[in-house]
Amino acid sequence: MTRPNPRSNPRTAARSKARAASRLGAVQALYQHDMEQTPIAQLLHEFHNHRLGAEIEDAQYAEPDVDFFDDVVKGVLAREGEIDAAIAAKLATGWHLDRLDKPMKAILRCGTYELLARADVPTGAVITEYVDVAHAFYDKREAGFVNGLLDAIGKVVRAG
């Protein structure tokens, strides 16, 4: 028996699109937090009311899954030490987290958080989604870096 393609189901496709918008928003929110130290309540309020699903520079952003966005942003901030340790453990010898630029750190932190805390999201989906987010900021090389690092982290945190 063949299984239906989840992307062919309009409800699943809409949820997938909403989560993709949430992930991009979470990366942007965490980047802003890293740059400006915006308090979490203010940050969430700003994104809920002015950024998520908005039209910015003539581009209409998809409606996000706000609960998913909130979980990723709050989860990354609550578990930042654990997340950063997982990322640092997979960086090449001689590399440190502080050598990565802020957008890359935000992407890796969000992806690592999902791998650690969102067992409902398959490992492959997490990696693919954050590689897609990386393409919004970087060229192919950096997206490959995201792919490799999240894959390595996933093999450790989701083993067994």
Side-chain angles (χ1 to χ4, degrees):
M1 182 170 148
T2 59
R3 293 176 46 193
N5 179 349
R7 297 210 185 261
S8 66
N9 178 333
R11 215 166 111 185
T12 304
R15 181 174 150 199
S16 178
K17 195 172 193 177
R19 284 201 167 178
S22 300
R23 288 178 175 103
L24 178 60
V27 167
Q28 292 169 328
L30 290 164
Y31 170 78
Q32 180 176 326
H33 178 75
D34 204 13
M35 290 294 293
E36 302 172 1
Q37 302 306 307
T38 308
I40 186 70
Q42 179 184 336
L43 184 69
L44 293 175
H45 177 77
E46 177 183 330
F47 272 77
H48 290 174
N49 293 302
H50 304 293
R51 306 281 288 285
L52 295 174
E55 183 176 317
I56 301 171
E57 296 176 9
D58 296 326
Q60 181 65 46
Y61 288 83
E63 285 298 321
D65 175 337
V66 175
D67 291 337
F68 189 81
F69 165 83
D70 287 356
D71 178 61
V72 173
V73 172
K74 289 177 182 177
V76 167
L77 293 174
R79 296 175 72 173
E80 195 169 304
E82 176 187 6
I83 290 166
D84 285 356
I87 295 167
K90 293 302 175 188
L91 291 174
T93 304
W95 271 81
H96 301 283
L97 202 60
D98 58 353
R99 284 187 65 187
L100 300 176
D101 66 9
K102 290 180 186 326
M104 181 60 72
K105 279 195 262 189
I107 292 166
L108 294 173
R109 285 172 172 160
C110 288
T112 301
Y113 169 74
E114 281 197 52
L115 291 169
L116 287 166
R118 297 296 308 231
D120 61 312
V121 183
T123 302
V126 173
I127 294 167
T128 299
E129 289 291 329
Y130 285 102
V131 167
D132 287 348
V133 170
H135 282 297
F137 296 94
Y138 299 105
D139 292 325
K140 188 175 181 177
R141 182 171 164 255
E142 289 86 353
F145 175 74
V146 169
N147 183 29
L149 201 70
L150 290 180
D151 182 56
I153 291 167
K155 286 176 180 167
V156 171
V157 303
R158 292 202 171 174

